[in-house]
Amino acid sequence: MQEEISRAGVGRRGLLLSGMALALNPADVWAQVAEGAPLPDRHRTLIVRVCDLVIPDTDTPGAVKAGVPAFLALAIGHGISGSNAPFAAALFTGGKAPADAGILDWLSFELDLKAGRAFLSAPPDMQVRVLTDLDSQAYTRGNEKSPWRTLKGLIVTGYYTSEIGASQELRFELVPGRFDPDIPVGPKDRAWSNDWTAVEFG
Amino acid sequence: MSKDFDAIVVGSGITGGWAAKELTEKGLKVLMVERGRHIEHGTDYVTEMKSPWEMPFRGVGDPQLYASDFAVQSKNRHFTEYTQNHFVNDRENPYSVAEGTEFNWWRSYQLGGRSLTWGRQSYRMSDHDFGANKQDGHGVDWPIRYADLKPWYDHVERFIGVSGQNEGLSSLPDGIYQPPMALNVLEKHAKAAIEAKWPDRRLTIGRTANLTQEKEGRSACQNRMICQRGCSYGAYFSTQSSTLPAAQATGNLTLITDTVVETVDYDAKTKRANGVSVLNVKTGERRRYTARIIFMNAGAFNTNHILLRSRSAAFANGLGNSSGRLGTHIMDHASTVGAIALFDSFQDRATFGNRPTGIIIPRFRNLGDQTEGDFVRGYSFQGGALRSAWTRGKREPGIGAGFKENLRNVGPWRMVLVTFAESLPRETNRLRLDPAKVDAFGAPLLQVDFTHGENERKALTDAGKEASAMLTAAGGKVIMSLNRPGVGGSAIHEMGGAMMGHDPRTSVTNRWNQLHDVPNVFVTDGAAMASSACQNPSLTYMALTARACDTAVKLLKEGRI
């Protein structure tokens, strides 16, 4: 995965915010960024943690075991869903960003800002709260352009198109062999991951 | 003078395959010329059995590759990582558009052409359609009516296999169908609700060239809904599954691929075409083939392109263009989302398997003497009902175990109606040779000059209202309704340019699809269309082709061409 991330060019910069005080404002964060040295592995670590928070292991393996971090790195490197498009500074809280900031810089920045400290070193329950807060905000009206929607979309795609997500968490049958137009379905029935029309229009 | 072949068929797609089959079965020695690569049925469908996790980009594809090589093709919803090898490379195959216009030209240059990637919806045109130009004065009168084509629709449907339901509607003539695919539980409910409120409207299963019964070595549909990857079961109609094996079985077919027809060659002494000049796109070698008749089946716009660049002293503006109308009156369908609605009902019911067709609500506007709305002609809806899949997770808030558990179940029902409105034939919508730009081999590019008109916009506006009303009547909550057409070409029903007509001064082809000016050249793909109707047109192209082949062989035998 490291190789893929490196190829994708997403490991180049990171934001160093460890050991910071709570209640940061954007200016504080950028001050830290300016002082901090980039950490090559930071985005990798962040991707893994965020994938795990979005789709954790339950009675089936979650996003990390399904290899979603590697897919996410590949997707961002190649710009799936516009994820490597030039990044508007206005998308950052406070409206400022380094010239070459990417979508993962944004994520790191916003999570650190919300956590009031380095998100990755925050306790797990705080990480859940912070990411839930970011997620809720991104899905309110007016935030349709939130970069989080792009990232979560890629995580969802990565998981449900993986063998684990498509065929263990959900059901997968490439050759159904028949069409049943009306069958009972209950809360314990898993959906079919390859209902292609529903995947496209649903 | 002896000729290399009795007939040359230019193109191997939906109509080229039909021309090859019909002509070889009638005993002619036929050369079929395909510009793209060879694709062997079954063995060359390399992505057919792939699961998403076996694809480098999970089926989504590589946006960098798409930006550089597939800038237009990748806008098509049928274009995916699984199907990208069945679409043309835009960088290598450029075209131009007139200033201030846009046109998305979706193409498949390969053996089988777009028969491998088509939507398979198979509808007859009616006398409402064949009579429309005469009735309202747009375009020129079709020189044929439904009765002329009916036996050939029968002939084509019998051979290709179409599943569907006869409904007895004047706007969508019945056909010869295999048993219909089933409406799902919500579609059945919507059908009852809509037909109760509007007795003149009908919701019926899409008539599709997917088999529901085994047929001549072809299997019944496996309900995979991944047709465009190629189907080794042969369960949908394509050149490879259907017409090509029939043509090859005669021993009368010679097939060459990677060979583009540059011009149809004209003999001023005999006033006939005598062959084609071709270019092997792999080797760069040029040569000529001669034949007694030529069938133009390159795909509507490419047929126009070849004729436009087939210039001679007798036809300085393109072969068969004494009228000056070659390339004019091109059409598509004006298409957009009529309405999407969510439903609370039937939450304990679902479907299994992937049905490779949707539903259709055939045209109900402006039939007969009644005029409804402020537009002429009509539209129809295609779509269907489905339960949302995991992709809804992209647009819903939530993270963690609860989010995952929610996506484990099937999502809510939704129903979609997509509008297809008739595109009026207009002289200003046209093709021409680009005055400046050329392709890698020095040939002038085809320039497309097309815009949808006010009639199309009015029809889509009416359609949006009616789609919303019907889904509401069925108990749905409408969440989206659009009424602006997509960019020209978006329906992938581009057609016209060599329209059929009675009069050589105002049309390009006659009632038998012969060029008025050069009677041994037959144009039987979408180029010959004089109006677009609002139905998916491929079945009509096939019927016109089979009919023209019958005529061509009779005329040949009588020594009249």
Side-chain angles (χ1 to χ4, degrees), chain B residues 322-545:
Chain B
S322 67
S323 65
R325 288 201 149 185
L326 178 63
T328 69
H329 298 80
I330 58 168
M331 298 160 281
D332 183 35
H333 286 135
S335 182
T336 192
V337 173
I340 301 176
L342 297 178
F343 290 79
D344 294 331
S345 44
F346 303 107
Q347 295 309 309
D348 58 345
R349 313 302 296 177
T351 59
F352 171 77
N354 302 327
R355 189 187 62 192
T357 187
I359 58 100
I360 181 168
I361 300 175
R363 175 178 162 188
F364 51 81
R365 282 292 194 232
N366 298 327
L367 301 172
D369 298 333
Q370 50 186 334
T371 302
E372 301 120 328
D374 51 357
F375 58 96
V376 297
R377 310 196 188 184
Y379 55 78
S380 68
F381 296 109
Q382 294 179 26
L386 53 88
R387 295 203 69 157
S388 296
W390 55 264
T391 37
R392 71 187 185 278
K394 297 178 187 181
R395 55 170 194 272
E396 289 177 358
I399 64 167
F403 177 67
K404 184 181 175 189
E405 185 160 341
N406 175 47
L407 292 180
R408 181 174 283 186
N409 302 118
V410 289
W413 281 102
R414 53 172 53 201
M415 189 157 177
V416 183
L417 294 178
V418 176
T419 313
F420 288 88
E422 178 154 0
S423 176
L424 294 180
R426 295 186 179 86
E427 186 152 22
T428 49
N429 281 336
R430 63 173 301 168
L431 304 169
R432 55 173 75 86
L433 297 179
D434 191 290
K437 295 177 191 157
V438 296
D439 69 13
F441 297 102
L445 298 190
L446 186 67
Q447 185 186 76
V448 186
D449 185 351
F450 179 90
T451 48
H452 289 296
E454 198 53 30
N455 196 68
E456 286 88 326
R457 280 186 275 276
K458 286 175 176 169
L460 290 186
T461 298
D462 185 65
K465 287 180 200 153
E466 295 305 316
S468 299
M470 287 191 282
L471 293 183
T472 303
K477 182 187 166 208
V478 174
I479 56 168
M480 181 193 276
S481 174
L482 304 176
N483 55 25
R484 301 280 97 179
V487 172
S490 296
I492 327 184
H493 294 159
E494 81 281 0
M495 64 176 95
M499 61 186 161
M500 296 170 77
H502 302 279
D503 187 344
R505 292 168 301 179
T506 58
S507 60
V508 179
T509 46
N510 70 10
R511 63 185 276 105
W512 305 109
N513 293 81
Q514 298 164 279
L515 288 179
H516 284 299
D517 298 335
V518 191
N520 70 332
V521 176
F522 292 79
V523 176
T524 73
D525 58 16
M529 298 291 279
S531 74
S532 71
C534 61
Q535 295 89 314
N536 310 56
S538 297
L539 187 77
T540 297
Y541 305 166
M542 291 189 244
L544 286 171
T545 300

Side-chain angles (χ1 to χ4, degrees), chain B residues 114-125:
Chain B
R114 284 184 290 188
S115 79
L116 288 176
T117 55
W118 72 309
R120 308 168 306 285
Q121 295 293 298
S122 299
Y123 299 105
R124 297 183 178 208
M125 283 171 56

